[in-house]
Amino acid sequence: MDQRIINLFDDYTHVPLSRKEFMDRLVKLAGGTALAVAALSVLEPGYAAAATVAPTADDLETEDVSWPGDGATAKGYLVHPKGKKKRGAVVVIHENRGLTPHIKDVTRRVAQAGYLALGVDALSVVGGTPTDEDKGRELIGQLDATKNLNNYLAALTYLRGRSDCNGHTGAVGFCWGGGLVNQLAVHDPRLDAGVAYYGQQPKVEDVPNIKAALMLHYGGLDQRIDAGIPAYEAALKAAGTKYELYVYEGANHAFNNDTSPARYNAEAAKLAWERTLRLFKEKLG
């Protein structure tokens, strides 16, 4: 697919851009309405076809959980392997559309690797993730950033307080969630490991606060997010922070999202996921 179309879709999903304006520009780039519709079919998510771990997988237990947030009750999707055992816990942080079926699937993948996996629904405080992704993006943009961060910090506290947690905690997030992983690392000195996929970098002056081991995954074609890499890496080095940084050449923003065929990069996603689980094994037990 024309990279200009992929870049336009990235703008649409991250920059205030109306559906009408997006479609008008897409029609021009694609060369017609029919071609634009065809392009959109491989850009927008196809959740059912991409699920890799069934919601009813025999080896997993799932439950809807809640905990006190900042001024409201926060909720999430908790998944863990069957059997009583203390495990490391991982907060799974969604993209800017909410706790979608794709992120629930990722949560189950983390659980199958042997962890307590909590897919937090950031939109639970405003009624939950809607099925309309445009509405989800709109609601994400309306969240109070401080309260939202506090809700995720409270999620880590909730996990540490569970009898089946071994006390070690990590976080993995994608896009909007990747940026939030960086913020959790800045604000929670007890976080053991943070994995940010193409996430917005924190302020360089905040980097010395990071105690967690970080793993940072970026798509080589993701100019918008990659622009922040040099300053972030310089700050990490200056602070002596333990980190690993990987740029996957030829991969776009959201390369891990296998529900979006135009941007999904199977090779990069597989390698990044193997590296992610390796860090969790090292830091969470």
Side-chain angles (χ1 to χ4, degrees), residues 207-208 210-212 233-243:
V207 170
I210 297 175
K211 307 302 180 186
E233 184 165 28
L236 290 168
K237 288 180 177 178
T241 306
K242 182 175 180 180
Y243 77 97

Side-chain angles (χ1 to χ4, degrees), residues 16-101:
L17 190 66
S18 71
R19 182 79 172 186
K20 182 180 185 304
E21 183 179 355
F22 165 66
M23 289 303 300
D24 287 345
R25 290 168 60 180
L26 179 59
V27 167
K28 291 179 180 178
L29 279 176
T33 302
L35 291 173
V37 171
L40 196 58
S41 70
V42 292
L43 284 166
E44 293 192 318
Y47 295 128
T52 60
V53 181
T56 56
D58 292 339
D59 58 337
L60 299 177
E61 292 184 1
T62 67
E63 58 181 306
D64 295 322
V65 297
S66 62
W67 58 94
D70 187 342
T73 298
K75 299 179 181 179
Y77 175 67
L78 184 73
V79 191
H80 56 84
K82 288 184 176 178
K84 293 184 178 180
K85 178 182 177 182
K86 286 186 177 292
R87 308 175 187 278
V90 178
V91 167
V92 181
I93 311 179
H94 55 65
E95 299 158 314
N96 66 342
R97 298 181 289 280
L99 188 60
T100 62

Side-chain angles (χ1 to χ4, degrees), residues 106-137:
V106 173
T107 304
R108 294 191 294 272
R109 296 178 206 176
V110 173
Q112 271 200 336
Y115 303 99
L116 289 168
L118 177 58
V120 177
D121 184 357
L123 296 177
S124 61
V125 297
V126 291
T129 295
T131 55
D132 182 339
E133 293 210 343
D134 285 340
K135 183 63 176 178
R137 282 189 286 267

Side-chain angles (χ1 to χ4, degrees), residues 43-272:
L43 284 166
E44 293 192 318
Y47 295 128
T52 60
V53 181
T56 56
D58 292 339
D59 58 337
L60 299 177
E61 292 184 1
T62 67
E63 58 181 306
D64 295 322
V65 297
S66 62
W67 58 94
D70 187 342
T73 298
K75 299 179 181 179
Y77 175 67
L78 184 73
V79 191
H80 56 84
K82 288 184 176 178
K84 293 184 178 180
K85 178 182 177 182
K86 286 186 177 292
R87 308 175 187 278
V90 178
V91 167
V92 181
I93 311 179
H94 55 65
E95 299 158 314
N96 66 342
R97 298 181 289 280
L99 188 60
T100 62
H102 166 61
I103 296 299
K104 286 188 172 183
D105 185 51
V106 173
T107 304
R108 294 191 294 272
R109 296 178 206 176
V110 173
Q112 271 200 336
Y115 303 99
L116 289 168
L118 177 58
V120 177
D121 184 357
L123 296 177
S124 61
V125 297
V126 291
T129 295
T131 55
D132 182 339
E133 293 210 343
D134 285 340
K135 183 63 176 178
R137 282 189 286 267
E138 178 184 336
L139 290 172
I140 286 285
Q142 295 173 0
L143 291 177
D144 180 279
T146 298
K147 289 184 176 181
N148 178 65
L149 176 60
N150 288 340
N151 291 338
Y152 276 92
L153 291 169
L156 288 167
T157 300
Y158 162 75
L159 287 171
R160 292 179 186 125
R162 287 181 60 98
S163 61
D164 50 357
C165 178
N166 66 10
H168 295 295
T169 50
V172 58
F174 308 85
C175 182
W176 181 86
L180 198 48
V181 167
N182 285 320
Q183 290 302 317
L184 289 179
V186 166
H187 290 90
D188 189 341
R190 294 185 61 189
L191 187 71
D192 294 289
V195 182
Y197 281 72
Y198 26 85
Q200 187 70 45
Q201 299 84 4
K203 296 178 180 178
V204 294
E205 57 265 32
D206 290 339
V207 170
N209 295 329
I210 297 175
K211 307 302 180 186
L214 294 181
M215 182 174 286
L216 310 170
H217 299 298
Y218 298 101
L221 299 177
D222 188 4
Q223 297 181 5
R224 179 177 57 87
I225 292 296
D226 291 359
I229 292 176
Y232 190 21
E233 184 165 28
L236 290 168
K237 288 180 177 178
T241 306
K242 182 175 180 180
Y243 77 97
E244 299 175 50
L245 191 155
Y246 302 101
V247 178
Y248 300 86
E249 297 304 326
N252 278 288
H253 184 85
F255 68 78
N256 187 71
N257 191 333
D258 50 7
T259 69
S260 180
R263 296 190 292 174
Y264 175 56
N265 185 307
E267 183 179 359
K270 180 177 183 293
L271 180 54

